[in-house]
Amino acid sequence: MKGKLYITATPIGNLNEMSPRAIETLKSVDIILCEDSSHSKKLTRHFNINTPLKSYHKFSEAKSIPDIINQLNSGKNIALISDAGMPTISDPGARLV
């Protein structure tokens, strides 16, 4: 069974604008790919999300994709977030998607 990739929006400003569905998703996946782990730790701590964070930014994007695809193919569920907003437009993620 293949895993799923969840493209997950994060608040642009106020952390309380995070949707309950996004919080549930981040708690339920196996890994969260994030643009900046120090920034994303603030978000995960605020919502008591204990899912491991893995750095995924424009400098590591091309090199990381084969491993991410392998993890998805092996059944892992992965969420992709950016520092703020919806990933993939001007943030890392377009190549992966």
Side-chain angles (χ1 to χ4, degrees):
M1 178 187 230
K2 291 188 179 185
K4 295 180 181 177
L5 177 65
Y6 296 89
I7 312 303
T8 309
T10 59
I12 292 174
N14 186 337
L15 286 179
N16 291 320
E17 293 174 353
M18 184 82 165
S19 78
R21 177 70 175 121
I23 295 167
E24 178 184 327
T25 298
L26 297 182
K27 286 183 175 184
S28 69
V29 295
D30 298 297
I31 301 165
I32 300 170
L33 301 176
C34 59
E35 191 173 358
D36 178 352
S37 59
S38 64
H39 182 84
S40 297
K41 282 179 188 175
K42 294 174 191 170
L43 176 90
T44 57
R45 270 190 245 133
H46 183 81
F47 292 106
N48 198 29
I49 298 167
N50 298 311
T51 307
L53 297 171
K54 183 174 180 182
S55 182
Y56 182 79
H57 46 73
K58 65 182 177 181
F59 304 109
S60 68
E61 187 173 28
K63 188 171 83 172
S64 300
I65 290 175
D67 180 54
I68 294 165
I69 299 298
N70 286 337
Q71 290 184 56
L72 290 167
N73 285 334
S74 72
K76 293 211 181 213
N77 292 316
I78 300 173
L80 172 66
I81 63 174
S82 65
D83 288 347
M86 181 61 85
T88 75
I89 304 304
S90 61
D91 300 307
R95 286 175 148 177
L96 179 61
V97 174

